[in-house]
């Protein structure tokens, strides 16, 4: 071995050790990227308004180039930084410009300065984060303004008191994320990815933005409806209200005013809509709302929002089997398991058009529902589901694994519940409530799923009943394919949900259908690796793999034809695995890079129509 070659080996080892010691293990560069990757403006990505359910004009998008550093946990704000990172892409992703892993004994720091005009009297500046994984502390001009725990819910801090005179303000953000070494919700993230477990996601992964509001302002709104009465209900939460303040809500249908009501702060507003139009996948009608905070005749604050009139309920068919109803009628719900991962951005889509592409392709294939699997999307994703017409089942991201689970063929899953520590329970409950609060207003969401299989499942009865009581407008699927808690023949929650690969199956409606809605929460998983469009060249997998599109389509058609019989006998919904390939999984309807669609969309839509055409009579 010559000395020059020996030197290069030693140098490479030293660099590797140095990177590991600093918690900056570089991740392999993926061989594929989505079509939108080259469109990313690294100076100003994701410029859409991030909160479509509560819009104001007075905001500044802070996405773009920030300084970053990966430092030993607990060392404080760094004095120097490792380079630039593109916010809001997670540090492990290629679109962040970094592509490095952060270990649990390290913290990820962000830093930038911003220019602000002087804050006027009786005005506040709020610093918003769409989502940061997992623990976040924010400093403004060196002063800590708050700490937040939770990787999937939006949060903000009032930074008014930390601002200095002059226009330049310094913002530093500390993030700590133990991934699978901690009990926190994390979905499919693991430190050592393999199989169905994927690359870690650390740090800011949704939009960062500033908002200026009056001291007395609308802090939150809760929109709902009364389907039977044809009304839209709005419950605003006001920051720093005076006793004489009032709230005015005006509703519009395609630009025409259809209702208005004014009440005192603290009262719920209910607007009667003449000749109401109902929301459904076939007709996703949305009413625009203007919500104003008034002092006398003076408007102190105003936000724009929207709502829909739709109902999710339970009925019984002629055989006495429970069915899930939309607007009083049986609609078979069929959609893909959608994990929302990207080869270039991981949790973060490269562009808003990319998110819309996934939803629109799902619609074009003839699906009417999406199960958002152990991940929560940005608010804009749900807005597009609302306007396009796509029902959503929303999972709680799992965490803190360890309990056992078994399947009794054709019946239910049984096993043990996780014995969580008090801190772990608290983390789960706090984040689940925050996720529901943040996404309550989206009419596309028709079901909450607290647990998937037995992944960290604990106190199922308590969590399920709390969810049912907290949001009575949706179904609750206590444990999709998981440990069912039985009370006689009734499963706790509204739904009994079987997972079965690859063929369609369901629990016996004669045993369980009288007490619960019967659904097939996962099936299919038919795999087709497409050369040049896989995460890695070999060792990819699906639940059942095929060599070409024709063989894949023939097997898929068999699954659909078999499901018609299940619908006639009691099945209310089904979820096919999955929307896209994800990392080494190749069982997607599309490849991971979205460049190849494995099925003909028109053929699929026609095939799926056979499922919706199965007639089920509901006893009134």
């Amino acid at each position: 071995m010559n000395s020059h070659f020996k030197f290069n080996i030693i140098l490479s080892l030293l660099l590797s050790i140095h990177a590991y010691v600093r918690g900056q293990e570089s991740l392999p560069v993926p061989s594929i990227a989505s079509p939108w990757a080259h469109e990313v403006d690294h100076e100003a990505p994701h410029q859409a308004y991030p909160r479509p359910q509560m819009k104001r004009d007075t905001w500044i998008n802070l996405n773009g180039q920030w300084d970053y550093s990966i430092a030993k946990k607990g060392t404080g704000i760094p004095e120097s930084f490792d380079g630039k990172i593109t916010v809001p892409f997670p540090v492990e992703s290629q679109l962040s410009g970094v592509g490095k892993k952060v270990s649990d004994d390290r913290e990820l720091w962000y830093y930038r300065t911003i220019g602000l005009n002087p804050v006027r009297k009786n005005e506040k500046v709020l610093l918003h984060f769409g989502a940061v994984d997992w623990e976040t502390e924010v400093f403004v001009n060196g002063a800590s303004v708050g700490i937040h725990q939770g990787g999937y819910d939006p949060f903000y801090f009032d930074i008014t008191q930390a601002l200095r005179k002059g226009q330049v303000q310094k913002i530093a953000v500390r993030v700590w994320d133990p991934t699978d070494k901690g009990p926190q919700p994390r979905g499919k993230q693991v430190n050592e990815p393999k199989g169905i477990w994927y690359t870690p996601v650390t740090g800011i992964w949704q939009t960062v933005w500033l908002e200026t509001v009056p001291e007395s302002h609308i802090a939150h709104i809760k929109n709902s409806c009364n389907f039977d009465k044809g009304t839209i209900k709005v419950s605003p939460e006001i920051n720093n209200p005076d006793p004489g303040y009032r709230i005015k809500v005006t509703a519009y249908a395609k630009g025409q005013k259809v209702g208005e009501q004014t009440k005192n702060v603290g009262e719920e507003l209910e607007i009667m809509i003449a000749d109401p139009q109902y929301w459904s996948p076939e007709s996703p009608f949305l009413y625009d709302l203007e919500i104003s905070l008034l002092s006398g005749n003076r408007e102190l604050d105003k936000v724009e929002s929207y709502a829909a009139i739709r109902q999710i309920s339970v009925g019984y068919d002629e055989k006495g089997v429970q069915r899930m109803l939309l607007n009083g009628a049986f609609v078979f719900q069929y959609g893909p398991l959608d994990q929302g991962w990207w080869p270039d951005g991981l949790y973060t889509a490269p562009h808003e058009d990319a998110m819309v592409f996934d939803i629109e392709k799902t619609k074009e294939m003839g699906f009417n529902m999406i199960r958002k699997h152990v991940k929560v999307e940005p608010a804009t994703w749900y807005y597009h589901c609302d306007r396009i017409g796509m029902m959503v089942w929303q999972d709680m991201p799992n965490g803190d694994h360890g309990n056992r689970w078994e399947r009794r063929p054709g019946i239910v899953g049984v096993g043990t519940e996780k014995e969580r520590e008090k801190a772990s329970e608290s983390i789960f409950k706090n984040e689940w409530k925050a996720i529901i609060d943040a996404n309550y207003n989206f009419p596309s969401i028709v079901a909450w799923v607290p647990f998937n299989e037995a992944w960290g499942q604990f106190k199922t009865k308590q969590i399920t009943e709390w969810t049912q009581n907290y949001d009575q407008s949706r179904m609750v699927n206590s444990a999709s394919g998981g440990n069912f808690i039985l009370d006689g023949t009734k499963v706790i929650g509204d739904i009994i949900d079987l997972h079965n690969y690859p063929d369609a199956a369901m629990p016996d409606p004669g045993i369980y259908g009288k007490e619960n809605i019967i659904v097939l929460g996962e099936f299919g998983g038919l795999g087709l690796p497409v050369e040049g469009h896989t995460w890695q060249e070999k060792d990819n997998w699906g639940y059942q793999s095929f060599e070409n599109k024709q063989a894949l389509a023939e097997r898929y058609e068999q699954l659909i034809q078999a499901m018609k019989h299940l619908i006639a006998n009691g099945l209310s919904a089904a979820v096919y695995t999955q929307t896209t390939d994800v990392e080494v999984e190749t069982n997607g309807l599309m490849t991971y890079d979205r460049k190849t669609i494995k099925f003909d969309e028109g053929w699929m839509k026609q095939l799926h129509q056979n499922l919706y055409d199965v007639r089920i009579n509901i006893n009134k």
Side-chain angles (χ1 to χ4, degrees):
M1 183 182 293
N2 65 53
S3 59
H4 178 71
F5 185 56
K6 188 183 297 183
F7 173 78
N8 283 340
I9 291 176
I10 294 170
L11 179 60
S12 296
L13 287 171
L14 288 173
L15 289 172
S16 298
I17 293 168
H18 178 69
Y20 177 78
V21 169
R22 286 182 55 79
Q24 297 191 35
E25 181 184 345
S26 294
L27 294 165
V29 177
S31 58
I32 55 173
S34 67
W36 302 271
H38 72 280
E39 298 178 7
V40 173
D41 180 352
H42 288 273
E43 296 296 327
H46 283 282
Q47 292 298 294
Y49 190 86
R51 193 181 56 191
Q53 275 283 359
M54 208 172 105
K55 295 177 67 175
R56 287 191 181 92
D57 294 331
T58 53
W59 74 290
I60 301 171
N61 191 308
L62 297 183
N63 292 341
Q65 295 296 287
W66 291 55
D67 295 318
Y68 87 93
S69 180
I70 299 173
K72 185 178 178 181
K73 193 171 185 289
T75 55
I77 301 175
E79 295 182 358
S80 61
F81 292 86
D82 300 337
K84 296 290 185 180
I85 186 170
T86 303
V87 169
F89 298 103
V91 68
E92 293 89 350
S93 73
Q94 293 304 308
L95 286 178
S96 71
V98 180
K100 294 177 180 176
K101 188 190 293 187
V102 182
S103 57
D104 64 302
D105 61 349
R106 306 282 154 169
E107 292 172 330
L108 173 62
W109 284 89
Y110 298 82
Y111 175 84
R112 67 166 290 173
T113 59
I114 58 172
L116 275 182
N117 292 323
V119 179
R120 294 176 295 183
K121 186 180 178 181
N122 298 325
E123 193 173 67
K124 291 182 177 292
V125 178
L126 310 180
L127 178 56
H128 291 264
F129 296 82
V132 184
D133 197 358
W134 174 72
E135 179 182 271
T136 309
E137 183 173 13
V138 178
F139 300 81
V140 176
N141 297 316
S144 176
V145 296
I147 297 176
H148 175 267
Q149 289 185 338
Y152 300 93
D153 59 305
F155 61 97
Y156 69 87
F157 297 116
D158 179 349
I159 66 171
T160 313
Q161 297 303 314
L163 299 176
R164 292 178 178 172
K165 291 183 178 180
Q167 291 193 344
V168 177
Q169 313 293 333
K170 300 176 181 178
I171 298 177
V173 179
R174 176 189 65 81
V175 180
W176 175 67
D177 178 19
T179 309
D180 56 2
K181 292 187 177 180
Q184 80 290 347
R186 60 181 181 275
K188 291 288 196 80
Q189 303 174 58
V190 293
N191 286 301
E192 301 297 333
K194 61 181 178 179
I196 66 168
W197 308 104
Y198 314 140
T199 304
V201 170
T202 301
I204 297 169
W205 67 275
Q206 291 186 28
T207 292
V208 184
W209 54 293
L210 277 172
E211 179 180 42
T212 304
V213 297
E215 187 170 6
S216 295
H217 62 273
I218 301 165
H220 182 70
I221 54 174
K222 184 177 181 179
N223 301 336
S224 58
C225 73
N226 185 312
F227 181 81
D228 295 328
K229 292 169 61 178
T231 62
I232 292 173
K233 298 192 288 185
V234 180
S235 300
E237 180 183 317
I238 309 302
N239 186 76
N240 194 34
D242 275 358
Y245 287 173
R246 293 174 302 141
I247 288 285
K248 180 175 75 172
V249 177
T250 308
Y252 298 88
K254 297 183 177 179
Q256 299 296 313
K257 184 193 290 189
V258 294
E260 186 173 271
Q261 190 175 65
T262 303
K263 283 194 173 184
N264 294 326
V265 166
E267 297 178 327
E268 181 182 73
L269 296 96
E270 186 169 13
I271 302 169
M272 181 68 69
I273 305 295
D275 191 23
Q277 299 186 59
Y278 304 131
W279 185 96
S280 71
E282 294 76 24
S283 179
F285 194 89
L286 301 174
Y287 289 92
D288 294 316
L289 304 176
E290 284 185 357
I291 303 164
S292 300
L293 175 63
L294 305 175
S295 175
N297 294 322
R298 185 164 61 98
E299 185 178 78
L300 301 177
D301 189 23
K302 182 176 76 172
V303 298
E304 296 177 3
S305 187
Y306 67 89
I309 300 176
R310 68 106 180 93
Q311 183 186 63
I312 304 299
S313 60
V314 180
Y316 288 85
D317 66 18
E318 294 175 321
K319 299 176 183 177
V321 175
Q322 282 198 14
R323 298 287 186 161
M324 184 155 35
L325 310 182
L326 172 64
N327 301 334
F330 175 69
V331 176
F332 183 70
Q333 297 188 22
Y334 182 47
L337 190 79
D338 190 316
Q339 307 205 61
W341 284 74
W342 300 84
D344 32 46
L346 300 179
Y347 258 16
T348 310
H351 194 280
E352 187 169 6
D353 290 349
M355 287 196 300
V356 174
F357 176 86
D358 277 6
I359 301 167
E360 288 184 337
K361 280 298 171 187
T362 302
K363 184 89 168 183
E364 289 172 15
M365 292 175 185
F367 296 101
N368 64 7
M369 175 264 282
I370 292 170
R371 180 183 169 198
K372 180 52 63 175
H373 188 44
V374 295
K375 183 200 176 190
V376 182
E377 293 288 355
T380 48
W381 186 87
Y382 299 96
Y383 162 69
H384 291 301
C385 287
D386 290 344
R387 70 170 184 83
I388 291 170
M390 187 62 66
M391 293 182 285
V392 176
W393 293 10
Q394 180 59 59
D395 285 13
M396 171 63 177
N398 55 283
D400 204 358
H401 289 201
N403 41 322
R404 293 181 290 108
W405 174 64
E406 312 176 334
R407 269 277 309 284
R408 291 178 180 172
I411 310 178
V412 296
V414 296
T416 63
E417 292 205 296
K418 174 71 176 178
E419 291 291 333
R420 291 201 186 203
E421 295 181 355
K422 186 175 181 180
S424 174
E425 285 194 17
S426 178
I427 288 168
F428 180 98
K429 291 175 182 177
N430 289 342
E431 192 155 359
W432 185 222
K433 179 181 181 298
I435 288 168
I436 294 174
D437 287 341
N439 298 291
Y440 179 91
N441 288 350
F442 297 113
S444 54
I445 299 176
V446 299
W448 299 116
V449 187
F451 299 108
N452 178 71
E453 296 180 355
W455 298 355
Q457 188 177 337
F458 75 104
K459 293 187 177 177
T460 309
K461 185 174 188 295
Q462 179 191 112
I463 299 297
T464 301
E465 291 180 348
W466 177 90
T467 307
Q468 288 177 306
N469 291 330
Y470 195 64
D471 182 3
Q472 299 179 25
S473 68
R474 296 177 169 96
M475 297 294 105
V476 178
N477 185 354
S478 64
S480 182
N483 294 334
F484 298 112
I485 307 302
L486 296 173
D487 181 6
T489 57
K490 176 175 173 53
V491 169
I492 298 300
D494 301 301
I495 291 169
I496 181 168
D497 176 333
L498 181 72
H499 290 182
N500 197 80
Y501 287 99
D503 294 296
M506 69 177 184
D508 187 339
I511 299 175
Y512 301 105
K514 310 297 182 184
E515 302 285 353
N516 291 97
I517 298 163
I518 296 174
V519 309
L520 174 59
E522 292 181 27
F523 82 110
L526 306 181
L528 176 65
V530 179
E531 187 176 354
H533 299 275
T534 56
W535 178 254
Q536 59 190 28
E537 290 186 8
K538 58 181 181 178
D539 297 327
N540 298 290
W541 73 279
Y543 287 93
Q544 184 178 5
S545 293
F546 298 84
E547 294 184 356
N548 56 62
K549 288 185 179 181
Q550 182 178 347
L552 178 69
E554 289 173 356
R555 183 68 175 103
Y556 182 80
E557 185 172 10
Q558 291 174 5
L559 299 182
I560 298 303
Q561 294 298 340
M563 195 152 54
K564 290 191 294 183
H565 172 74
L566 300 180
I567 297 169
N569 283 281
L571 189 68
S572 280
V575 178
Y576 178 82
T577 301
Q578 61 185 330
T579 304
T580 71
D581 297 346
V582 183
E583 299 202 354
V584 302
E585 294 184 57
T586 57
N587 46 26
L589 300 165
M590 300 182 280
T591 54
Y592 196 17
D593 58 11
R594 278 73 167 175
K595 292 179 180 178
T596 298
I597 299 171
K598 302 179 188 180
F599 297 88
D600 178 86
E601 297 99 299
W603 173 81
M604 288 196 90
K605 186 172 185 177
Q606 187 175 7
L607 185 65
H608 295 162
Q609 189 60 46
N610 295 325
L611 304 179
Y612 308 132
D613 287 343
V614 177
R615 295 301 169 201
I616 303 297
N617 294 319
I618 300 299
N619 293 327
K620 301 297 183 182

